[in-house]
Amino acid sequence: MRRRSLRCVVSFHTTAGAMAAERLCRREGLEGKLISVPRSVTSDCGLAWSAPPELRETLERRFREAGIEAAGFHELTL
């Protein structure tokens, strides 16, 4: 059984936004992966970025600088 841990889950308004976030994070070596949006989070898009919670401020800043609009940043145990 997989061990649950606290994650920063970023939801997006569009699939294009989620894909742009993935490209940015991969290019910059930021840890994380695309996941299906958890049921506890409402989102227009079915994808979210899951990353370690300590990256939240970095993700907020980098997404803002890159013009990637996030619907929300959530701290969840997954």
Side-chain angles (χ1 to χ4, degrees):
M1 180 192 254
R2 195 173 71 89
R3 190 174 198 176
R4 295 169 56 93
S5 62
L6 187 63
R7 302 292 291 176
C8 174
V9 176
V10 186
S11 57
F12 299 93
H13 295 291
T14 66
T15 301
M19 301 300 281
E22 180 184 38
R23 280 191 303 275
L24 174 80
C25 290
R26 296 272 182 252
R27 184 174 60 242
E28 295 192 7
L30 298 172
E31 183 182 345
K33 65 180 178 176
L34 278 180
I35 62 169
S36 297
V37 174
R39 291 182 191 165
S40 60
V41 175
T42 55
S43 174
D44 297 332
C45 165
L47 298 173
W49 185 256
S50 173
E54 58 270 12
L55 287 180
R56 180 179 178 148
E57 289 181 16
T58 300
L59 293 173
E60 288 177 351
R61 181 176 40 80
R62 290 302 298 125
F63 290 173
R64 187 175 47 253
E65 291 171 352
I68 298 170
E69 187 178 349
F73 287 81
H74 316 273
E75 293 207 359
L76 303 171
T77 301
L78 303 177

